Amino acid sequence: MFSLLLPYYFIVVCSVADDLIEERTPIFSQENEHYSTPSAVQDVGENKNIESSLQKIENLAASAEKSRREGILPTDHADKLHSRIVETLEDITEQLKHKTKAYKFLNSKGVDRIITPIIGTTYEPLKKQLLIVIKTLFNVAPITTKALIPISVVDKLLDIFEHDDNLALKAHALDIMYIWLPNNPTVQARVMRRKGLEAFYNQISKLDNTAIYTLLDLFHKILKEHIDARNSKSQRNKEDYERMQLYQTIGLIERMATPQVCNGLFNILEALMTFSNDDKQVSILIFELVKNMKTFCLKLYKGKDKAIQLFEGLENYFMDPQNVDLLHSLELNMTEVIVVVKDFVKNLKDSVRDEF
C-alpha cells in the first residue's frame, strides 16, 4: 500500500520544496509568464484534460512514427500528425503554468511519456513546443522537474544549441540550461564530458545579444560556483565530500587556463566589443569576462599585438568620459574597473618590453 503512495508522496514533498525557492524565469526567457493557482472546481476537470492530452499525444506520435517507418503514406501525412501534437502541447503548456497542473503532469509521467520519446524530432514546430513545455516545467516546479527529468535530455539540448540554425530554438535550449545547470554538478559533468566549453563559445557568432547575455551570465555563474566550491573548507559529511570530488572531476578550473578556452574567451570579447555601444548592459558582462581572463589567461595573451590592441581599446572604452555616467548607472565599481583593465594592459605590454 505504501509503495502505491510513493509517487504522490514524492510530488507533494517536491511541491513544498518548490514553493520555498524563488520561482524565476531565465534572464531573457521568451515567455514572460505569470503563474496562478486554480480553484478546486477547475482542478478536477483540468487534471483529466492533462491525462487525456497525454494519451492523445502518445497515439498521434505512434501513428506518425508508424507512417515514417513504413513509408507508405506521403511525408506530409506525418507532418499533419505532428502539427496536431503541437496544438495539444500548446494546450498543455497553458495548463502547466499552474503549479497543480505541473505536478499532475509530472506525476502522470508526462516527461517519460511525451518529452523523452519525442524530443529528438526533426519537425521544427514540434521541437520548439517541446522546449517550451520543458522550460515551463522548470520555471513552475524547478526542484521536482530537476528530480524527474532524465539527464539524457541535456544531450538533446546541447545538440539543438550547437547544430540548429533556428535562433529561437537555440534560445529556448539555452534558457533551460540556464535554470538546470547552476548548482547541479552532475549535469555539468555530463555537459563537459560530451561537449566541453567549445560548443558554447563557438556559437557566439550565431547568437543575438540577448542569447549572448544569457550564455555569458550562465558561464559566470558556473565558474563562480566552481571557484567557491574549491575554496570551501566545509566537507561536513560524505555528501559534501562527494560533491567536492565531482567538482574536481569536472575540472572546469583546470580547463580555464588552456589555450583553447583562452582563445575562445578572446573571440567572445571581440564579439562583445562590436556591439557594446548598442547594448550597455553588456558592459557588465565584458568586465566580468575581463576579470576571469586576467585570472586564467594573462600569461597566454602576454606580448601578443592582437591582445594588446583589444585591451587598449577596452581601456579607452571604460575611460571615455561619455561612458562614465552610464557605467555608474549600471552599478559598476568604476575604480575597480579601471584598476583591473589598466593592470591588464600594463602586464601585456611589460612582457613586450621584457623581450627587448
Side-chain angles (χ1 to χ4, degrees):
M1 179 64 179
F2 179 70
S3 62
L4 295 176
L5 294 174
L6 277 177
Y8 175 76
Y9 173 78
F10 177 76
I11 294 296
V12 170
V13 170
C14 287
S15 171
V16 173
D18 284 321
D19 285 333
L20 295 177
I21 70 171
E22 179 185 1
E23 301 286 350
R24 66 178 298 282
T25 57
I27 294 178
F28 290 103
S29 174
Q30 297 187 10
E31 283 74 42
N32 185 17
E33 296 150 338
H34 299 278
Y35 307 113
S36 61
T37 302
S39 67
V41 175
Q42 291 175 312
D43 190 56
V44 175
E46 291 186 8
N47 282 349
K48 289 182 179 178
N49 287 342
I50 287 180
E51 178 57 36
S52 62
S53 295
L54 290 174
Q55 292 177 0
K56 180 179 179 181
I57 290 172
E58 286 179 308
N59 294 336
L60 289 169
S63 298
E65 174 58 23
K66 185 172 185 258
S67 175
R68 184 200 65 78
R69 187 173 60 250
E70 294 179 354
I72 298 173
L73 296 172
T75 304
D76 64 353
H77 175 73
D79 288 347
K80 288 177 181 177
L81 293 173
H82 286 144
S83 180
R84 290 174 61 191
I85 295 176
V86 172
E87 292 174 0
T88 308
L89 282 173
E90 288 173 345
D91 292 337
I92 286 181
T93 303
E94 288 304 309
Q95 295 186 58
L96 294 181
K97 293 175 183 180
H98 307 290
K99 283 181 179 291
T100 54
K101 308 307 178 296
Y103 296 130
K104 174 63 178 177
F105 178 91
L106 293 165
N107 201 27
S108 299
K109 300 187 183 300
V111 173
D112 294 332
R113 292 167 64 181
I114 66 169
I115 291 179
T116 307
I118 308 176
I119 190 66
T121 181
T122 57
Y123 185 66
E124 200 165 270
L126 178 53
K127 190 185 300 185
K128 177 183 176 182
Q129 196 58 43
L130 281 169
L131 291 174
I132 293 173
V133 167
I134 297 171
K135 187 161 70 170
T136 304
L137 288 169
F138 268 108
N139 283 330
V140 178
I143 293 177
T144 315
T145 303
K146 287 176 185 178
L148 294 181
I149 195 164
I151 195 172
S152 59
V153 170
V154 81
D155 300 346
K156 297 298 183 182
L157 298 178
L158 289 168
D159 288 339
I160 290 169
F161 181 74
E162 186 175 18
H163 299 299
D164 265 280
D165 294 327
N166 187 316
L167 180 59
L169 294 180
K170 286 180 183 288
H172 282 306
L174 183 58
D175 282 344
I176 296 167
M177 289 189 283
Y178 184 87
I179 307 173
W180 197 2
L181 266 60
N183 297 308
N184 198 338
T186 302
V187 181
Q188 291 175 25
R190 180 142 182 152
V191 170
M192 292 294 282
R193 186 167 60 248
R194 286 202 71 239
K195 297 292 184 179
L197 294 173
E198 290 80 359
F200 293 96
Y201 56 65
N202 285 343
Q203 294 302 308
I204 287 289
S205 62
K206 302 175 185 178
L207 303 176
D208 63 10
N209 295 10
T210 296
I212 290 174
Y213 191 107
T214 305
L215 177 60
L216 283 182
D217 196 54
L218 174 61
F219 169 73
H220 293 321
K221 280 177 181 289
I222 292 178
L223 180 58
K224 184 177 185 304
E225 177 187 329
H226 279 252
I227 293 172
D228 291 344
R230 293 294 188 93
N231 293 335
S232 175
K233 305 299 181 183
S234 173
Q235 295 183 27
R236 293 166 292 184
N237 52 46
K238 183 181 178 182
E239 184 178 346
D240 286 346
Y241 176 76
E242 290 177 348
R243 186 177 176 85
M244 174 62 69
Q245 290 291 102
L246 184 53
Y247 278 115
Q248 292 176 343
T249 301
I250 293 172
L252 177 61
I253 304 299
E254 287 75 14
R255 291 178 189 235
M256 286 300 300
T258 63
Q260 294 87 349
V261 171
C262 288
N263 289 336
L265 295 179
F266 189 87
N267 292 338
I268 290 174
L269 185 58
E270 278 190 311
L272 289 176
M273 289 296 290
T274 63
F275 59 77
S276 60
N277 288 327
D278 299 323
D279 186 353
K280 298 300 183 181
Q281 285 289 337
V282 175
S283 300
I284 298 173
L285 290 177
I286 287 177
F287 180 55
E288 289 298 320
L289 190 59
V290 169
K291 285 198 295 185
N292 288 324
M293 293 167 78
K294 185 172 184 291
T295 301
F296 297 104
C297 302
L298 179 58
K299 289 182 180 179
L300 287 169
Y301 298 152
K302 277 190 172 185
K304 295 184 178 177
D305 292 339
K306 192 175 181 181
I308 293 172
Q309 182 179 356
L310 179 65
F311 285 100
E312 279 185 331
L314 192 60
E315 181 181 8
N316 292 334
Y317 169 76
F318 281 115
M319 294 288 291
D320 189 337
Q322 293 182 346
N323 294 330
V324 170
D325 289 342
L326 182 59
L327 294 172
H328 273 300
S329 72
L330 296 174
E331 298 183 356
L332 273 172
N333 182 332
M334 291 309 298
T335 301
E336 181 189 17
V337 169
I338 293 170
V339 168
V340 169
V341 175
K342 278 183 168 293
D343 188 61
F344 206 146
V345 173
K346 179 179 181 297
N347 276 279
L348 291 175
K349 290 182 174 179
D350 280 349
S351 64
V352 176
R353 286 194 289 269
D354 290 345
E355 290 177 6
F356 289 100

